[in-house]
Amino acid sequence: MRISLDEAASLLRQGQVVAIPTETVYGLAADASNDAALQQIFAIKQRPADHPLIVHIADIDQVQHWVTAFPLLARKLAEAFWPGALTLVLPAQAHVSRVVRGGESTVALRVPSHPVALQLLKTSGLSVAAPSANLFTQLSPTTAAHVESGLGQAMPVLDGGPCTVGIESTIVAVLENAAHELEWRLLRPGMISEAEIARVAGIPQADVAHAQPAVPTPKVPGQHALHYSPRTPLQLFADSDALVAACAALTRQQVKLACLLIGDEALPRLPSLHIVRLPAAPTQVAEQLYGALHHLDSLQVERLLVQMPPDKPDWLAVRDRLSRAGHQ
Ligand code: TXA
Ligand code: MG
């Protein structure tokens, strides 16, 4: 059910859950300070309670309300990348709901850049916790229609058009090590790359292998191997040659197939009836990836064959999502 921005703001203030657009993926939003509202997110998504939520705030000035410390390193990242697809994990104030923190001592914060999301945060006067608006482990939605097909037509959705980044935000934890030096760790890759973060931070990512035992890397409970999955079994191929060979063999066995190819290289004619080709640029593939997978999943074939993009830093986030989608 599509709703207006004013309706979304008023539902959120009444403690209801609504789906909202962000530039990354659609989120299932609730007032981040209302435990009963937050519990509904977990119930609707069928998400385990120990998976913390990201709190979306209207601007950088609101960080102090949520955290016990906003170190310079984190401030530099926020100033460089907000509003935008970066989530910062920082030590939480005691008042931050345990439901949001999923039992962690930290809180994840992000200022989204989507104009409708920002306007909603301002109009409602709230900060909203929002995981992706899909059932636990399923594909994230990048359009209002994806939300409705995954969560049902009765779900109130604020339609902000298709998401332009297309995959979930980069998550970075900023922490102090045993020597009281600030360091950062990438908890989830996204379209803001490790290299861009290192450049702004002025230091490389902390070496996890040599981490002091006193400074555990915050866990990211949402980082399941099986995540972002279509319903159709999905098989990944390191290159198009391997995919073409598998396509021919499976077709001989009369397995119904659909294929996702990346790049525009010329290929021998594929027997598969359903082929989606994405461009060779990582940002464009990210933008279109979930839409392509939602489409392929709706074809009701027996198997999806997906070409992995090259193992290069620019493709890290897309490869991460595809690997998880392909994990059987
Ligand atoms: O782009 C995004 O980040 C989207 C949009 C809606 O903002 N949201 C999103 O939320 O992807 P979700 O719940 O699907 O993923 C949030 C991730 C999970 O892996 C969760 O475990 C992690 O953030 N997370 C949240 N709070 C955390 C914390 N305090 N410490 C470590 N990880 C945290
Ligand atoms: Mg998610």
Side-chain angles (χ1 to χ4, degrees):
M1 177 183 46
R2 308 287 163 102
I3 55 171
S4 69
L5 194 138
D6 286 340
E7 288 168 325
S10 121
L11 286 170
L12 287 170
R13 280 196 299 260
Q14 291 164 36
Q16 304 289 313
V17 171
V18 298
I20 64 163
T22 83
E23 72 280 22
T24 56
V25 300
Y26 273 71
L28 193 59
D31 176 354
S33 60
N34 179 336
D35 275 3
L38 295 166
Q39 303 280 9
Q40 286 179 56
I41 294 180
F42 287 84
I44 294 168
K45 276 189 68 100
Q46 297 162 22
R47 175 172 168 126
D50 64 352
H51 286 231
L53 305 175
I54 295 172
V55 177
H56 298 70
I57 54 178
D59 58 55
I60 194 169
D61 295 339
Q62 297 191 14
V63 171
Q64 301 287 2
H65 172 73
W66 297 94
V67 306
T68 53
F70 190 21
L72 184 61
L73 174 55
R75 190 179 289 276
K76 281 203 260 181
L77 296 175
E79 283 170 357
F81 297 112
W82 284 356
L86 176 72
T87 296
L88 290 173
V89 172
L90 292 163
Q93 294 252 16
H95 71 78
V96 181
S97 160
R98 280 188 68 79
V99 187
V100 164
R101 290 187 279 116
E104 304 285 320
S105 60
T106 50
V107 62
L109 299 173
R110 159 166 125 80
V111 179
S113 68
H114 195 296
V116 175
L118 279 176
Q119 190 56 51
L120 179 67
L121 293 171
K122 287 182 185 136
T123 303
S124 66
L126 299 173
S127 297
V128 302
S132 49
N134 52 282
L135 293 179
F136 183 59
T137 77
Q138 294 196 350
L139 278 177
S140 298
T142 53
T143 64
H146 293 159
V147 177
E148 289 162 343
S149 75
L151 298 180
Q153 298 297 325
M155 172 58 62
V157 186
L158 175 56
D159 187 354
C163 303
T164 52
V165 175
I167 62 176
E168 299 81 355
S169 60
T170 304
I171 304 183
V172 169
V174 174
L175 11 105
E176 205 175 82
N177 66 19
H180 299 293
E181 297 153 346
L182 286 172
E183 53 183 44
W184 65 274
R185 307 244 171 89
L186 190 68
L187 300 187
R188 179 174 69 185
M191 294 314 287
I192 296 174
S193 69
E194 182 183 337
E196 285 175 276
I197 293 160
R199 185 175 49 74
V200 172
I203 48 169
Q205 178 173 197
D207 185 345
V208 184
H210 294 100
Q212 311 266 352
V215 192
T217 299
K219 60 183 160 111
V220 187
Q223 292 292 76
H224 264 221
L226 178 62
H227 212 150
Y228 314 113
S229 301
R231 283 175 288 260
T232 318
L234 182 152
Q235 211 173 335
L236 300 169
F237 295 87
D239 56 53
S240 55
D241 289 346
L243 185 148
V244 169
C247 193
L250 287 164
T251 304
R252 278 195 298 275
Q253 296 164 36
Q254 304 199 323
V255 178
K256 284 199 217 108
L257 301 175
C259 301
L260 180 65
L261 297 166
I262 292 176
D264 52 8
E265 65 183 300
L267 295 175
R269 236 178 75 75
L270 290 172
S272 163
L273 289 179
H274 306 290
I275 298 171
V276 172
R277 260 184 190 272
L278 296 181
T283 51
Q284 285 174 290
V285 173
E287 182 179 359
Q288 297 170 34
L289 182 68
Y290 288 140
L293 291 173
H294 277 284
H295 168 68
L296 292 168
D297 207 18
S298 71
L299 297 173
Q300 313 231 312
V301 293
E302 293 162 87
R303 190 97 50 98
L304 302 181
L305 308 188
V306 176
Q307 178 189 347
M308 279 292 249
D311 189 1
K312 294 194 178 140
D314 279 0
W315 287 104
L316 181 66
V318 168
R319 286 176 60 89
D320 171 75
R321 301 311 188 276
L322 280 174
S323 308
R324 292 172 200 283
H327 198 276
Q328 298 303 316

